[in-house]
Amino acid sequence: MDAVLKSLSVRAPEAADKRSDAPRPAPVTERPTRQEAEAAVRTLLRWAGDDPDREGLIETPKRVVKAYEQIFGGYRQDADAILDRVFEEVEGYSDIVLVRDIPFHSHCEHHMVPFMGHAHIAYYPRRGVVGLSKLARVVDTFARRLQTQETMTAQIADVIDSVLHPRGVAVMVEAEHLCMAMRGVQKSGVSTITTQFTGVFKQDPTEQVRFLTLVRDRR
Ligand SMILES: Nc1nc2c(ncn2[C@@H]2O[C@H](COP(=O)(O)OP(=O)(O)OP(=O)(O)O)[C@@H](O)[C@H]2O)c(=O)[nH]1
Ligand SMILES: [Zn+2]
């Protein structure tokens, strides 16, 4: 087992995403070749009980590997770099910035089955603001890795906090986990909510209430 872990040289996610000002590269693994990845898909097709050589499946390993490049593309993205550009000319604006209902698709690290939902992100700027789309890009960067919802929520808050040094960050993630709906306990329509607060949001419960009210206010 140790040998397998060493050969993968996987960086522990908690080490990769500890709060710090140091640049945090995405977790790295020694990648197998595309051919090896396609062979693994063929094995899984046989394990599922089908014939990988039948016409409808012959191109499937190629397609799956190509799809993995996109849905797990977050391993090759650097969330810190996304938040690099700060706009300081905002007439001294320093009140809350809330971007809500950011849709995302991720995969749970336990079953490699999708979970999907929305993220809501707020921060109190200290020195300028970031482009709004960058917050959605940060969500995608972490969503496009194998995740737990809790880890993803903490990683989003952590990178905004440590790169922008805002007065506070609030992140809420709401999601449905297909590993609970399609298999196992088989409960559909269950939503899981996770939150992470830093700075003023952590210290002041009224700030948490403000965040939650703005997230929920649909007028
Ligand atoms: N905390 C947390 N749990 C998750 C997440 N995604 C999936 N899970 C859970 O991970 C657990 C894995 O439990 P195990 O007992 O190791 O695996 P299992 O036998 O497949 O569990 P069941 O899903 O209950 O059949 C399950 O309870 C899943 O619901 C997540 O993002 N956060
Ligand atoms: Zn799961």
Side-chain angles (χ1 to χ4, degrees):
M1 185 64 175
D2 270 2
V4 174
L5 288 177
K6 265 188 203 137
S7 77
L8 287 172
S9 62
V10 179
R11 284 191 57 184
E14 57 277 17
D17 291 298
K18 273 261 154 60
R19 179 164 305 161
S20 112
D21 289 341
R24 287 160 301 183
V28 276
T29 61
E30 227 169 70
R31 279 186 114 187
T33 64
R34 179 173 290 269
Q35 232 175 359
E36 284 172 319
E38 289 175 10
V41 177
R42 277 179 66 85
T43 303
L44 287 175
L45 286 169
R46 284 173 49 226
W47 172 252
D50 216 319
D51 171 11
D53 290 318
R54 73 176 172 82
E55 197 195 344
L57 290 181
I58 198 78
E59 294 290 320
T60 296
K62 269 194 177 47
R63 293 190 197 101
V64 171
V65 168
K66 193 172 160 202
Y68 265 37
E69 284 182 321
Q70 189 171 12
I71 63 185
F72 295 120
Y75 289 111
R76 288 171 296 286
Q77 288 167 346
D78 179 1
D80 296 55
I82 291 169
L83 298 173
D84 244 6
R85 174 175 290 178
V86 171
F87 302 114
E88 293 191 26
E89 275 188 41
V90 283
E91 303 289 335
Y93 184 87
S94 61
D95 203 349
I96 196 168
V97 178
L98 169 69
V99 181
R100 68 180 184 188
D101 298 327
I102 303 167
F104 73 88
H105 294 83
S106 188
H107 284 75
C108 84
E109 65 186 23
H110 306 109
H111 304 98
M112 296 180 70
V113 170
F115 68 94
M116 67 282 280
H118 292 88
H120 317 286
I121 301 176
Y123 70 103
Y124 276 101
R126 191 188 296 278
R127 185 189 61 83
V129 299
V130 279
L132 301 175
S133 68
K134 307 303 180 192
L135 298 175
R137 287 184 187 281
V138 164
V139 171
D140 278 346
T141 294
F142 292 119
R144 289 178 182 159
R145 299 178 188 181
L146 291 172
Q147 281 291 10
T148 69
Q149 187 175 325
E150 293 91 332
T151 305
M152 189 177 109
T153 308
Q155 287 173 334
I156 295 167
D158 180 57
V159 75
I160 297 167
D161 197 52
S162 60
V163 177
L164 298 183
H165 302 293
R167 290 190 289 120
V169 181
V171 178
M172 178 191 281
V173 175
E174 306 180 62
E176 180 176 10
H177 292 247
L178 293 191
C179 67
M180 268 186 78
M182 291 174 62
R183 56 157 298 286
V185 75
Q186 298 187 37
K187 299 289 180 207
S188 296
V190 176
S191 54
T192 301
I193 296 179
T194 46
T195 57
Q196 183 90 342
F197 299 113
T198 75
V200 291
F201 288 107
K202 194 170 185 170
Q203 291 145 16
D204 186 350
T206 60
E207 292 297 346
Q208 291 180 21
V209 171
R210 187 178 185 208
F211 169 69
L212 298 172
T213 305
L214 288 170
V215 166
R216 292 287 175 233
D217 186 358
R218 296 288 149 180
R219 273 172 303 144

